[in-house]
Amino acid sequence: MSLRASVVVVSRHRAEALRRCLVSLQQVWAVAFEVIVVADPAGIDAVGDMPGVIRIPFDAANIAQARNLGIDAARGDIISFIDDDAVAEPCWLERLLEPFADPEVAAVGGYVIGRNGFSYQWKGRLVSRDASTQDWDPGAPIPDGWAVKTEGTNMAVRSDVLRGLGGFDPAYRFYLDETDLNIRLAQAGHRVDLVPDARVHHGFAESARRGPDRVPRDLTDIGRSTAAFARRHAPDQAEGIVARIRAEQAARVARYLANRKLTRDQAKALMAGFDTGVADAPAPTPLEPRPSPVAAAGGSVAPFPPPRPRSDLAVVSGRPWQRARVQDAAQSSDQPSLAVILEPTTRRHQLRFLSDGYWLQTGGIWGASERSGPMVQPGRFGRRVGREAQRLAVSFGIRLRKKKSIEQDFPHEGS
């Protein structure tokens, strides 16, 4: 019997990002799954006429509470989570669910790629009860006192396990909410795996807590969550944990102050907010098991959308002056599509998924895509497009369809 899957997306004040996330989920293949959106009124409106989406109105600044509403409505055997400012690669859910074929696996996490589309934001990590983290290679031994760290924007948990643990703790309005769950999973003796090639691309979109350039606007909830976490998991070390994380946040604020992205008054207000959050943190309370939805008993998961067959990667390329034609061709494709637009420079590449339903890669013909490689990449336009297209096809686990170059249809003399 195949496992039924639910995907929960929480969104608040980021309707455009939510829409893009849902479009990426429409391109996920080979797995039948339902989507549950927990969002403010603008987010619910952004869902529009997308079929198969369960909509749950919620407009409070508490991501743990919002995720719990999604858990309560989920009918899948596995409940997955992705943030509204993230997008999924087409193979994401298929790869994330594979380890659950082993009944001993209770939860699974994937890797997260950052804004440039190439560099990893988070890979394998472990976390301890004092909120310290360390890098970890999946499959390596786990030292005593450490738990596998999953990221809230790319994780999945068996629904019976998640409900049995009480879901997410609403004490964490933001920050450390999934870390708290990781510790509780470990304490209960559950096995957690990581799948490096189950990837999402995460944007760190603007919110009430940070600006579009990631400059912090409010540290109150970080202070609150820090104190709540320390008092629950390491009460004997709570004061030291809070002091350490406060120092980390102060160093972060100081960097933005040095770069003139914050004023001294704003920096002082941010640290005062952290201290207010610490003082406001609630005492730890036991979490009660969450009830299963009535529909889960013998019910079926309405797929969103119907399972999409695996298909090849279509690639369209051109120069900057051909951008409109390239993007129109990519948007009109009925397959996963990559539009590659390269200029005759060494500018580093950017890769992002657009809400029009295709991936766009831009940069210089001789610029770096993978940040770990040489900064200058020799080669001609056609060969460079081929290398980048093949790299993405391998990442997606699919074949590369014959490439189409707009340049061949609309040549530009002297290019």
Side-chain angles (χ1 to χ4, degrees):
M1 177 181 177
S2 61
L3 294 171
R4 303 171 299 175
S6 302
V7 176
V8 175
V9 188
V10 171
S11 183
R12 187 167 187 263
H13 301 170
R14 295 201 296 220
E16 184 178 343
L18 171 62
R19 181 77 181 181
R20 186 176 68 118
C21 175
L22 293 176
V23 170
S24 80
L25 292 176
Q26 285 182 319
Q27 296 194 3
V28 169
W29 56 53
V31 177
F33 62 99
E34 67 177 2
V35 169
I36 301 162
V37 170
V38 185
D40 65 320
I44 295 297
D45 288 344
V47 176
D49 58 357
M50 286 188 177
V53 180
I54 299 172
R55 302 161 174 83
I56 301 178
F58 182 74
D59 193 9
N62 190 316
I63 193 169
Q65 188 176 351
R67 284 176 174 159
N68 284 342
L69 293 176
I71 292 168
D72 292 345
R75 296 168 293 176
D77 304 295
I78 309 297
I79 304 177
S80 305
F81 299 90
I82 184 172
D83 287 351
D84 61 352
D85 60 345
V87 296
E89 293 186 352
C91 52
W92 166 65
L93 193 57
E94 179 183 58
R95 291 172 172 173
L96 194 66
L97 296 179
E98 284 177 355
F100 289 108
D102 183 345
E104 296 298 316
V105 174
V108 176
Y111 281 14
V112 181
I113 294 175
R115 280 184 172 183
N116 64 35
F118 300 95
S119 302
Y120 281 104
Q121 197 172 89
W122 294 303
K123 298 173 74 174
R125 294 193 291 169
L126 300 177
V127 64
S128 69
R129 67 187 185 100
D130 68 354
S132 298
T133 61
Q134 67 174 11
D135 293 341
W136 178 70
D137 292 326
I142 300 174
D144 291 342
W146 293 84
V148 176
K149 177 80 171 72
T150 61
E151 309 301 338
T153 189
N154 187 2
M155 61 182 291
V157 189
R158 290 190 188 273
S159 58
D160 57 344
V161 170
L162 187 53
R163 292 190 176 102
L165 290 174
F168 292 87
D169 189 341
Y172 307 96
R173 296 175 182 170
F174 168 77
Y175 188 68
L176 296 176
D177 48 305
E178 70 270 27
T179 304
D180 166 76
L181 178 62
N182 294 150
I183 298 295
R184 288 188 284 124
L185 282 163
Q187 290 173 338
H190 291 300
R191 177 177 155 189
V192 180
D193 283 0
L194 292 184
V195 182
D197 59 359
R199 288 178 292 262
V200 303
H201 295 237
H202 184 228
F204 273 129
E206 180 179 9
S207 71
R209 301 179 182 92
R210 63 173 178 251
D213 52 1
R214 297 179 62 180
V215 175
R217 291 173 171 169
D218 188 355
L219 298 180
T220 305
D221 283 339
I222 290 182
R224 189 178 193 272
S225 293
T226 296
F229 184 93
R231 292 166 189 171
R232 175 181 289 278
H233 296 294
D236 55 326
Q237 306 173 43
E239 186 174 336
I241 293 169
V242 170
R244 188 192 81 233
I245 295 181
R246 188 187 192 281
E248 292 171 356
Q249 293 298 321
R252 175 187 174 206
V253 168
R255 288 194 298 271
Y256 287 115
L257 180 62
N259 292 333
R260 299 184 178 180
K261 293 186 176 182
L262 289 172
T263 66
R264 292 191 178 277
D265 287 345
Q266 289 172 327
K268 290 179 181 179
L270 283 168
M271 297 314 302
F274 183 96
D275 295 336
T276 297
V278 170
D280 184 48
T285 56
L287 296 178
E288 297 295 329
R290 305 196 71 83
S292 299
V294 175
S300 61
V301 171
F304 163 87
R308 183 186 180 99
R310 190 184 306 273
S311 56
D312 300 343
L313 177 67
V315 181
V316 188
S317 63
R319 306 301 184 105
W321 53 85
Q322 298 158 334
R323 186 184 187 107
R325 293 190 182 101
V326 171
Q327 294 190 228
D328 285 347
Q331 183 178 351
S332 63
S333 175
D334 58 356
Q335 295 177 282
S337 300
L338 170 66
V340 184
I341 301 173
L342 300 182
E343 61 189 40
T345 70
T346 58
R347 186 167 66 91
R348 292 194 295 185
H349 288 211
Q350 299 282 329
L351 174 68
R352 62 187 187 276
F353 181 82
L354 304 185
S355 55
D356 290 328
Y358 61 91
W359 296 82
L360 174 64
Q361 184 167 339
T362 59
I365 298 172
W366 310 292
S369 53
E370 301 282 359
R371 290 341 191 224
S372 59
M375 295 300 294
V376 178
Q377 301 283 331
R380 299 173 65 87
F381 177 90
R383 289 188 178 181
R384 184 61 194 275
V385 170
R387 290 202 307 270
E388 296 302 320
Q390 184 61 41
R391 184 199 61 79
L392 195 63
V394 170
S395 177
F396 287 178
I398 57 177
R399 297 178 306 175
L400 182 62
R401 181 180 170 183
K402 185 178 180 180
K403 303 181 295 297
K404 178 179 181 180
S405 174
I406 295 298
E407 190 173 52
Q408 295 172 357
D409 297 335
F410 304 95
H412 185 281
E413 294 298 328
S415 65

